[in-house]
Amino acid sequence: MIKPAIPNGVVPLDETDHKILALLQRDARLTNAAIGEQVGLTASSVFERVKKLERRGVVHGYTARLNHAALGQKITAFVRLSAAYDEKHDTGMHAIAAEPEVIDAHTVAGEDCLIVKVKVRDTDHLHDFLLRAKAHVTLLRAVTMISMATLKE
């Protein structure tokens, strides 16, 4: 039997792998035994599968999800930035992404260059972030959208 080629380096996963990944995404602190109970495997089988997923690059880390409101960061905003393609552009985009308020940063195609998700205390804090962003690049336009509610994160 000829194995089909894996397109673009996509790692083939079976249904059990997908179930394990869904459980880990919901709670990465679940024990292998708890995962095994839900997917019908022993703890050692889950351990081996997770290690294999890590080695194959499917799982590339574990993080803590923070309660930003408890840290005083009650506002979530999305900022679309358009910047001139000059000598400051590339390093400026990376500098903006490295700002402490930035949770996610994506370079994008279209009329914007960068979209960032930020967590801030208040609108003054958001304004300070925007001023720092402007200092990093030759800013052509910034569009800011404040989130009213988070449905899924």
Side-chain angles (χ1 to χ4, degrees), residues 82-93 96 113 133-140:
S82 291
Y85 284 94
D86 58 15
E87 68 282 349
K88 292 172 33 174
H89 184 273
D90 292 342
T91 57
M93 291 288 128
I96 292 169
C113 301
K134 185 177 179 181
H136 290 305
V137 295
T138 305
L139 195 60
L140 302 175

Side-chain angles (χ1 to χ4, degrees), residues 99-119:
E99 289 288 343
E101 296 86 354
V102 174
I103 303 301
D104 292 312
H106 304 270
T107 58
V108 295
E111 58 183 286
D112 299 316
C113 301
L114 183 70
I115 297 176
V116 295
K117 175 182 175 183
V118 297
K119 297 279 190 173

Side-chain angles (χ1 to χ4, degrees), residues 42-96:
T42 64
S44 60
S45 293
V46 171
F47 176 81
E48 289 303 320
R49 278 183 178 253
V50 170
K51 287 298 170 198
K52 188 175 181 182
L53 291 166
E54 290 171 352
R55 281 192 305 272
R56 295 163 78 189
V58 175
V59 174
H60 60 90
Y62 300 88
T63 62
R65 289 179 30 224
L66 304 180
N67 178 346
H68 289 276
L71 297 170
Q73 300 165 322
K74 296 182 181 194
I75 295 177
T76 300
F78 298 88
V79 183
R80 296 173 26 213
L81 300 167
S82 291
Y85 284 94
D86 58 15
E87 68 282 349
K88 292 172 33 174
H89 184 273
D90 292 342
T91 57
M93 291 288 128
H94 288 282
I96 292 169

Side-chain angles (χ1 to χ4, degrees), residues 2-16:
I2 299 173
K3 286 187 176 182
I6 300 171
N8 298 324
V10 174
V11 178
L13 304 174
D14 64 18
E15 186 178 335
T16 302

